[in-house]
Amino acid sequence: MAMASPEKNSSSLQSRVAPGVSSRYDFPLRLSSMALLIIDIQDELTEVDLTSNEYKHSTGFPRMIHNTKRLLESARMNKIQVIFTYLQALTDDCRDVSLDYKLSGDLSNLPGPSNPAKFLPGITPIAGEDICLSKTSCSVFQSTKLEYILRNLQVEQLLVVGQLTDQCVESAVRDAADLGFFVTVVDDACAANSADSHEKGMHGMRGFSRRLTTDQVLLEIIANDTVTGKGEITTLLTANRFEQQFALGANTAYCSIKIPEPSQYVRHKEKGFETALLRSLRVAGVKFIRFTIVDAHNTIRCKAVPLDFLIESSSMTSSTSIAEVCFAGLPTTMDVPKAPNLTASNVLTLEPDLSSLQILPYAPKTAMIMCTAHDQLSQNLSPLCTRGLLERVLHAAREEVGLEFCIGAEIEFMLYRLNKDGLMQPMDASTFANSTTLNDQEDFISSVYDQLRLQDIPVELIHAESAPGQLEVVLSYSDDGLQLADNVLFAQETIKNVAKNYRMQAIFLPKTSMSAAGNGLHLHFSFEDVGSPSNAFSDSFRPTGISRKGESFIEGILDHLSSLLSFSLPTVNSYRRVGAGCWTGSSIDWSTEDKEVPLRVCVDLKTRKATNVEYKLADSTANIYLVLAMILSAGMEGLKCGKELRPMASADIAAGAPLPQSLNESLDCLKLDTFLLSVLGPELSTAYIAVREFEARSESSLAEEVHKAFGNR
């Protein structure tokens, strides 16, 4: 009698394998069936020395440690089982270690019961939660009961990190695959003694596992079995990409002697340039340089470094750093962390962008320079850095869709002054485009203009707006999106400080009174094909006057508009400015030269051609780098997918879906927007949503918020 074959578990991954057809890459990680296996990352074996000439100490181990911390944090947040294996003998004299280790020099003398193995800060087991298995040979499956444990846990997928890539990691991966587990090896969370050994180990595992980066793994975890649609812009996820020479093992290209040949020697000209720049600043009377970042929630954070200190060190790159939690974990009203994934245990170093350096006309003894944030060990760009995110998005625009974006900004603010009764009140009761404000505030306006010119920030227009004491400063279009973002920041700071010199206060709050118009930050977008000076947004031969690319760009923004509001209207007060009759729109629509829609296509007054699209749903509480990055990403997703633009809003067509009415509604939309979450990355999205939700719960009344804006705490 033939025996009946056992019934397969239809929910198991193995039951889905089609022999000869399926690939390992057909089976992404599932939270319910995976475990994170950390191999031999322990104090005795993992020495870091960034000044060392040895690859493993200066490059391999720092990269492995940094990315393993990220994966471990994500695993714990998502309740994924973590398993640590580590080298430790069962006896103090190590008589129980494997023959191979007894014949391998240092490995014959492992930690033992009286001198147990030590783990690294940030990569340490949690008692009662993580599983720890000591081992005395190369393969964890040979010297422990790991297979038995995994079967009991019903684990089918192993996510493997650790050291050494070509030894213990490779042995574990090959054994796991032979035992029927689906294995994923995280390339940049493994390390070997050399780049060549690491690559050989990865090559040896190619037929037994998937090979992914940390960023790719984190995206699979956050997606949790969902699959994003076509058009995903993968180049946005390069915050932790190493320079190509590391991947190729470029350290092996150096000569064996310390002194390079004359033909190989290149002077670091940047050092001389930086020294000359610093000395020139001293001649100009500058005493301090502010190393500056803008956190995810739009707080400007900076540290002033004395110029003399930088001159003595002959470098603009100081050791300036700021705690990681400050980049995305703190609300705008307090220095108390509210993001579950960020603590004060790690710091990020600030790398200055010399092109952004400005001597501040309102504080002439100080220069300010914008920075990007980097991991202190690996020097990788931090995924929490919003200025770095915008740089990466603009790079993706050039590489992925072949476009250079042109961006303009309209900054609205109100001028207040103490009256004779000691109360703050608007400077006038003027109306839109009225000459009163221009006449009364001519000296102030002239000073603002002069100081912006000194900073090479071009101004296109200045006029009175609709609310009492309200002005709008229009910054000229720029084909450098990063510089435009810097210009907005410097302009806002300049306006605030010039107002103080005139004993006034410039208020950028979205709303100061429910009976008057609010302050917005309107953004204009067009684009050119890379290498072409022509406006690729416009096409006079199409019915809309907009090019096919322009239409897809607009549709991409409309598709994600409800989620985008969590970045462009990021406060409770922001939504007091939005609604019918507020010149912001109240539904997800677009139109031509209609100020009552969120996306307004602007037309050249002379040629009647469509020139750009105006995004009206933004205000100055938003982080300009973050909001530009997210809007551009949404538009590019529309371009990549070739989305068709919906009909223009009109009286004959029903209005689009209503806009979110609150910050919480928009955040709820963001949580479901897998594309925008992938652009943000898991670290930034987790922190951003948590802090914004805290701020929404801590809502202040309009009167309280205005009171605080006037400096009354």
Side-chain angles (χ1 to χ4, degrees), residues 50-94:
L50 299 180
T51 64
S52 171
N53 291 326
E54 287 193 60
Y55 167 86
K56 64 179 179 179
H57 297 310
S58 63
T59 302
F61 288 162
R63 179 177 65 176
M64 174 188 71
I65 292 168
H66 170 70
N67 287 319
T68 299
K69 286 180 179 179
R70 297 172 64 206
L71 292 166
L72 180 57
E73 183 177 21
S74 177
R76 286 172 173 161
M77 288 180 60
N78 289 282
K79 308 299 183 185
I80 296 168
Q81 180 64 62
V82 178
I83 301 173
F84 286 79
T85 71
Y86 58 100
L87 294 178
Q88 180 174 306
L90 300 176
T91 57
D92 285 336
D93 63 1
C94 296

Side-chain angles (χ1 to χ4, degrees), residues 567-582:
F567 305 104
S568 61
L569 300 178
T571 66
V572 171
N573 193 0
S574 298
Y575 293 82
R576 297 178 179 131
R577 191 179 69 87
V578 179
C582 295

Side-chain angles (χ1 to χ4, degrees), residues 17 55 57 65 73-74 82 93 101 110 121 175 186 201 219 228 288 353 367 390 415 475 508 567 645 660 665 683:
V17 174
Y55 167 86
H57 297 310
I65 292 168
E73 183 177 21
S74 177
V82 178
D93 63 1
Y101 275 16
L110 299 181
D175 287 347
V186 189
L219 274 183
T228 57
F288 304 97
D353 179 354
L390 177 57
L415 293 173
L475 302 188
F508 293 83
F567 305 104
L645 182 60
E665 285 188 34
E683 291 96 337

Side-chain angles (χ1 to χ4, degrees), residues 255-262 264-265:
C255 298
S256 59
I257 59 173
K258 296 296 183 181
I259 303 174
E261 295 293 332
Q264 296 174 320
Y265 177 68

Side-chain angles (χ1 to χ4, degrees), residues 357-501:
L357 180 71
Q358 297 279 15
I359 297 176
L360 303 178
Y362 50 85
K365 293 182 177 63
T366 298
M368 188 159 84
I369 192 165
M370 302 308 300
C371 301
T372 48
H374 297 256
D375 182 85
Q376 61 179 333
L377 288 178
S378 68
Q379 291 305 302
N380 287 336
L381 179 66
S382 169
L384 300 174
C385 179
T386 57
R387 192 174 189 272
L389 175 60
L390 177 57
E391 284 191 75
R392 292 187 286 130
V393 169
L394 293 171
H395 174 81
R398 292 186 291 270
E399 298 298 320
E400 291 288 311
V401 294
L403 296 178
E404 298 275 5
F405 282 102
C406 303
I407 308 172
E410 303 171 4
I411 305 172
E412 295 175 345
F413 60 95
M414 297 173 185
L415 293 173
Y416 280 76
R417 176 177 284 171
L418 281 172
N419 64 16
K420 61 182 180 181
D421 298 320
L423 301 176
M424 296 295 288
Q425 68 177 32
M427 290 302 300
D428 57 51
S430 182
T431 54
F432 178 77
N434 197 299
S435 64
T436 299
T437 303
L438 298 182
N439 292 333
D440 292 351
Q441 304 306 328
E442 182 181 24
D443 289 343
F444 164 77
I445 293 170
S446 180
S447 293
V448 168
Y449 178 70
D450 288 343
Q451 293 201 15
L452 293 179
R453 284 188 63 193
L454 287 172
Q455 298 170 80
D456 290 317
I457 300 175
V459 175
E460 183 177 305
L461 192 68
I462 300 175
H463 65 86
E465 263 293 349
S466 300
Q470 189 178 34
L471 282 166
E472 177 177 288
V473 174
V474 181
L475 302 188
S476 299
Y477 242 60
S478 175
D479 58 5
D480 185 335
L482 189 64
Q483 184 182 68
L484 185 279
D486 289 341
N487 286 350
V488 168
L489 180 75
F490 279 110
Q492 290 169 334
E493 287 290 280
T494 300
I495 291 166
K496 290 176 186 176
N497 284 280
V498 172
K500 289 179 182 178
N501 291 339

